[in-house]
Protein backbone atom coordinates (compact mmCIF):
# COMPACT_ATOMS: atom_id res chain seq x y z
CA UNK A 1 0.00 0.00 0.00
CA UNK A 2 1.37 3.40 -0.94
CA UNK A 3 1.82 5.80 1.97
CA UNK A 4 0.10 9.16 1.69
CA UNK A 5 2.22 10.82 4.38
CA UNK A 6 4.23 12.78 1.84
CA UNK A 7 1.42 13.37 -0.63
CA UNK A 8 1.17 17.01 -1.67
CA UNK A 9 -1.73 19.01 -0.25
CA UNK A 10 -4.57 19.54 -2.71
CA UNK A 11 -4.35 22.78 -4.65
CA UNK A 12 -6.40 25.60 -3.18
CA UNK A 13 -8.71 27.80 -5.16
CA UNK A 14 -7.24 31.20 -6.01
CA UNK A 15 -8.19 33.84 -3.45
CA UNK A 16 -8.97 37.44 -4.38
CA UNK A 17 -8.71 40.14 -1.69
CA UNK A 18 -10.44 43.46 -2.38
CA UNK A 19 -9.55 46.50 -0.29
CA UNK A 20 -11.88 49.33 0.65
CA UNK A 21 -12.00 53.09 0.93
CA UNK A 22 -8.77 54.90 1.88
CA UNK A 23 -6.99 51.55 1.79
CA UNK A 24 -4.50 49.78 -0.47
CA UNK A 25 -3.42 46.14 -0.89
CA UNK A 26 -1.15 46.64 2.15
CA UNK A 27 -4.30 46.41 4.23
CA UNK A 28 -4.11 42.62 3.85
CA UNK A 29 -0.43 42.20 4.77
CA UNK A 30 -1.13 40.44 8.08
CA UNK A 31 -3.63 38.07 6.51
CA UNK A 32 -1.37 37.35 3.54
CA UNK A 33 1.59 36.52 5.80
CA UNK A 34 -0.52 33.86 7.48
CA UNK A 35 -1.68 32.49 4.13
CA UNK A 36 1.79 32.18 2.58
CA UNK A 37 2.53 28.93 4.40
CA UNK A 38 -0.33 27.33 2.50
CA UNK A 39 0.97 28.50 -0.89
CA UNK A 40 -2.35 30.11 -1.68
CA UNK A 41 -2.70 31.56 -5.20
CA UNK A 42 -3.48 35.19 -4.38
CA UNK A 43 -4.64 38.31 -6.19
CA UNK A 44 -4.63 41.54 -4.18
CA UNK A 45 -5.28 44.27 -6.77
CA UNK A 46 -4.99 48.00 -6.25
CA UNK A 47 -8.27 49.73 -7.18
CA UNK A 48 -7.74 53.52 -7.13
CA UNK A 49 -10.98 55.07 -5.91
CA UNK A 50 -9.94 58.75 -5.76
CA UNK A 51 -11.15 59.23 -2.18
CA UNK A 52 -14.50 57.71 -3.03
CA UNK A 53 -15.19 59.62 -6.25
CA UNK A 54 -15.06 56.59 -8.56
CA UNK A 55 -18.41 54.72 -8.90
CA UNK A 56 -18.30 51.22 -7.47
CA UNK A 57 -19.41 49.71 -10.78
CA UNK A 58 -16.30 51.21 -12.41
CA UNK A 59 -14.11 49.70 -9.69
CA UNK A 60 -15.82 46.33 -10.17
CA UNK A 61 -15.00 46.51 -13.89
CA UNK A 62 -11.36 47.16 -12.98
CA UNK A 63 -11.48 44.20 -10.61
CA UNK A 64 -12.82 42.03 -13.43
CA UNK A 65 -9.87 43.03 -15.63
CA UNK A 66 -7.39 42.11 -12.88
CA UNK A 67 -9.03 38.73 -12.31
CA UNK A 68 -9.07 37.82 -16.00
CA UNK A 69 -5.44 38.85 -16.45
CA UNK A 70 -4.31 36.82 -13.42
CA UNK A 71 -6.54 33.72 -13.57
CA UNK A 72 -8.10 33.70 -17.03
CA UNK A 73 -11.82 33.55 -17.74
CA UNK A 74 -12.92 30.33 -16.06
CA UNK A 75 -10.83 29.34 -13.03
CA UNK A 76 -12.92 28.91 -9.88
CA UNK A 77 -12.04 31.47 -7.19
CA UNK A 78 -12.86 32.62 -3.67
CA UNK A 79 -13.44 36.31 -2.99
CA UNK A 80 -12.97 38.31 0.21
CA UNK A 81 -13.89 41.99 0.31
CA UNK A 82 -13.24 44.35 3.19
CA UNK A 83 -15.41 47.42 3.77
CA UNK A 84 -16.18 49.07 0.40
CA UNK A 85 -14.33 46.17 -1.22
CA UNK A 86 -17.17 43.85 -0.26
CA UNK A 87 -19.61 45.97 -2.26
CA UNK A 88 -17.22 46.13 -5.22
CA UNK A 89 -16.91 42.34 -5.04
CA UNK A 90 -20.66 41.93 -4.90
CA UNK A 91 -21.12 44.08 -8.03
CA UNK A 92 -18.59 41.84 -9.79
CA UNK A 93 -20.44 38.73 -8.64
CA UNK A 94 -23.98 39.86 -9.42
CA UNK A 95 -23.67 42.26 -12.34
CA UNK A 96 -20.48 41.22 -14.15
CA UNK A 97 -20.90 37.45 -14.10
CA UNK A 98 -18.36 36.72 -11.39
CA UNK A 99 -20.74 34.45 -9.48
CA UNK A 100 -20.52 31.76 -12.16
CA UNK A 101 -16.85 31.14 -11.29
CA UNK A 102 -16.90 31.86 -7.54
CA UNK A 103 -17.18 29.27 -4.79
CA UNK A 104 -17.05 31.39 -1.63
CA UNK A 105 -17.76 35.08 -0.97
CA UNK A 106 -16.65 36.57 2.35
CA UNK A 107 -17.82 40.09 3.18
CA UNK A 108 -15.95 41.75 6.06
CA UNK A 109 -17.32 44.99 7.49
CA UNK A 110 -18.98 45.87 4.18
CA UNK A 111 -22.13 48.06 4.26
CA UNK A 112 -24.23 45.57 2.33
CA UNK A 113 -27.39 47.35 3.48
CA UNK A 114 -25.81 50.82 3.40
CA UNK A 115 -24.35 53.01 6.11
CA UNK A 116 -25.61 56.20 7.70
CA UNK A 117 -22.11 57.67 7.48
CA UNK A 118 -22.59 58.04 3.71
CA UNK A 119 -26.15 59.30 3.85
CA UNK A 120 -25.53 63.01 3.22
CA UNK A 121 -22.75 62.68 0.64
CA UNK A 122 -23.72 64.10 -2.79
CA UNK A 123 -23.30 61.68 -5.66
CA UNK A 124 -21.99 64.37 -8.02
CA UNK A 125 -19.01 64.84 -5.69
CA UNK A 126 -18.22 61.33 -4.37
CA UNK A 127 -20.11 58.75 -6.42
CA UNK A 128 -18.43 55.73 -4.84
CA UNK A 129 -19.25 56.87 -1.34
CA UNK A 130 -22.81 57.72 -2.35
CA UNK A 131 -23.22 54.15 -3.67
CA UNK A 132 -23.02 53.05 -0.03
CA UNK A 133 -25.94 55.14 1.21
CA UNK A 134 -28.84 53.29 2.76
CA UNK A 135 -31.26 52.75 -0.11
CA UNK A 136 -28.83 53.81 -2.86
CA UNK A 137 -29.75 52.86 -6.41
CA UNK A 138 -26.80 50.44 -6.52
CA UNK A 139 -27.73 48.61 -3.32
CA UNK A 140 -31.37 48.47 -4.35
CA UNK A 141 -30.41 46.86 -7.65
CA UNK A 142 -28.15 44.32 -5.92
CA UNK A 143 -30.80 43.41 -3.37
CA UNK A 144 -33.55 43.16 -5.98
CA UNK A 145 -32.09 40.01 -7.55
CA UNK A 146 -30.09 37.75 -5.27
CA UNK A 147 -30.23 34.74 -7.58
CA UNK A 148 -26.55 35.03 -8.67
CA UNK A 149 -25.57 34.44 -5.03
CA UNK A 150 -27.83 31.42 -4.54
CA UNK A 151 -25.17 28.77 -5.22
CA UNK A 152 -22.30 30.54 -3.45
CA UNK A 153 -21.04 29.96 0.06
CA UNK A 154 -21.69 33.49 1.38
CA UNK A 155 -20.45 34.64 4.79
CA UNK A 156 -20.52 38.12 6.26
CA UNK A 157 -18.71 39.42 9.32
CA UNK A 158 -19.45 42.63 11.18
CA UNK A 159 -18.48 44.63 14.25
CA UNK A 160 -21.34 45.87 16.44
CA UNK A 161 -19.44 49.01 17.43
CA UNK A 162 -18.32 49.88 13.90
CA UNK A 163 -18.17 53.65 13.32
CA UNK A 164 -17.75 53.30 9.55
CA UNK A 165 -20.70 50.99 8.94
CA UNK A 166 -23.51 52.47 11.04
CA UNK A 167 -25.27 50.58 12.48
CA UNK A 168 -22.75 47.74 12.45
CA UNK A 169 -25.24 45.00 11.58
CA UNK A 170 -25.87 46.70 8.23
CA UNK A 171 -22.76 44.80 7.14
CA UNK A 172 -24.80 41.57 6.88
CA UNK A 173 -25.33 40.11 3.44
CA UNK A 174 -28.98 39.36 2.67
CA UNK A 175 -28.00 35.72 2.05
CA UNK A 176 -25.75 33.18 3.72
CA UNK A 177 -24.49 33.24 7.29
CA UNK A 178 -23.58 36.32 9.32
CA UNK A 179 -21.46 36.61 12.43
CA UNK A 180 -20.34 39.45 14.66
CA UNK A 181 -16.67 39.46 15.62
CA UNK A 182 -15.96 40.84 19.11
CA UNK A 183 -13.53 43.57 18.15
CA UNK A 184 -13.91 47.29 18.81
CA UNK A 185 -13.22 49.01 15.48
CA UNK A 186 -13.81 48.71 11.77
CA UNK A 187 -10.11 48.26 10.99
CA UNK A 188 -9.71 45.53 13.60
CA UNK A 189 -12.06 43.36 11.54
CA UNK A 190 -9.15 42.77 9.14
CA UNK A 191 -6.17 43.35 11.46
CA UNK A 192 -6.88 41.97 14.93
CA UNK A 193 -5.54 38.43 15.61
CA UNK A 194 -9.02 37.37 16.75
CA UNK A 195 -10.48 38.43 13.40
CA UNK A 196 -7.68 36.83 11.41
CA UNK A 197 -8.24 33.53 13.21
CA UNK A 198 -11.92 33.60 12.24
CA UNK A 199 -11.22 34.54 8.62
CA UNK A 200 -8.55 31.87 8.22
CA UNK A 201 -10.88 29.21 9.60
CA UNK A 202 -13.51 30.23 7.07
CA UNK A 203 -11.08 30.36 4.17
CA UNK A 204 -9.69 26.92 4.98
CA UNK A 205 -13.09 25.30 5.37
CA UNK A 206 -14.79 23.46 2.52
Amino acid sequence: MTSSVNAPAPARRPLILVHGLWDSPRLFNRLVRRLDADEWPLLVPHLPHRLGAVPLVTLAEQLDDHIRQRFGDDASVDLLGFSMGGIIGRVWLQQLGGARRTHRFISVGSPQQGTLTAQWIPRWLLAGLADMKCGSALLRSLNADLSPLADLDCVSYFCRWDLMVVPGWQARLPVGTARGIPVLTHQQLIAHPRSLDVLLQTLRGD
Side-chain angles (χ1 to χ4, degrees):
M1 180 180 295
T2 303
S3 172
S4 61
V5 172
N6 296 319
R12 294 191 179 274
R13 283 182 302 275
L15 173 63
I16 301 155
L17 305 175
V18 187
H19 67 80
L21 184 67
W22 303 319
D23 286 321
S24 73
R26 287 178 295 181
L27 166 80
F28 296 111
N29 281 355
R30 294 181 186 182
L31 178 60
V32 168
R33 281 197 294 269
R34 294 184 63 174
L35 289 169
D36 276 348
D38 295 326
E39 298 183 352
W40 222 295
L42 291 173
L43 172 64
V44 193
H46 181 217
L47 302 175
H49 50 68
R50 293 183 17 236
L51 301 178
V54 181
L56 300 194
V57 171
T58 301
L59 294 174
E61 291 168 347
Q62 294 176 14
L63 174 63
D64 186 58
D65 288 340
H66 282 287
I67 294 170
R68 291 176 185 276
Q69 290 172 19
R70 176 73 169 83
F71 299 121
D73 294 334
D74 300 308
S76 179
V77 300
D78 289 341
L79 177 68
L80 183 152
F82 172 70
S83 194
M84 188 174 77
I87 309 296
I88 296 168
R90 194 172 160 198
V91 173
W92 178 72
L93 291 168
Q94 291 184 241
Q95 298 187 351
L96 300 179
R100 68 171 180 79
R101 59 181 299 179
T102 302
H103 175 78
R104 176 177 291 125
F105 175 41
I106 303 172
S107 169
V108 183
S110 301
Q112 301 292 353
Q113 306 301 325
T115 172
L116 294 177
T117 57
Q119 210 61 24
W120 308 111
I121 293 172
R123 182 169 181 81
W124 64 264
L125 180 64
L126 296 168
L129 277 172
D131 280 334
M132 295 186 287
K133 292 181 182 184
C134 299
S136 73
L138 177 64
L139 291 179
R140 288 200 310 272
S141 68
L142 291 173
N143 288 329
D145 181 10
L146 301 174
S147 59
L149 303 179
D151 295 328
L152 275 62
D153 179 8
C154 293
V155 187
S156 45
Y157 293 105
F158 63 94
C159 166
R160 294 183 183 276
W161 304 278
D162 202 325
L163 296 180
M164 295 296 290
V165 181
V166 179
W169 53 85
Q170 293 280 82
R172 296 172 183 238
L173 284 163
V175 297
T177 60
R179 175 181 172 185
I181 298 179
V183 293
L184 296 177
T185 68
H186 185 70
Q187 206 70 11
Q188 284 182 346
L189 282 168
I190 200 65
H192 194 285
R194 184 181 294 123
S195 299
L196 295 179
D197 288 344
V198 170
L199 296 178
L200 285 165
Q201 183 179 24
T202 301
L203 287 167
R204 289 180 175 132
D206 267 316

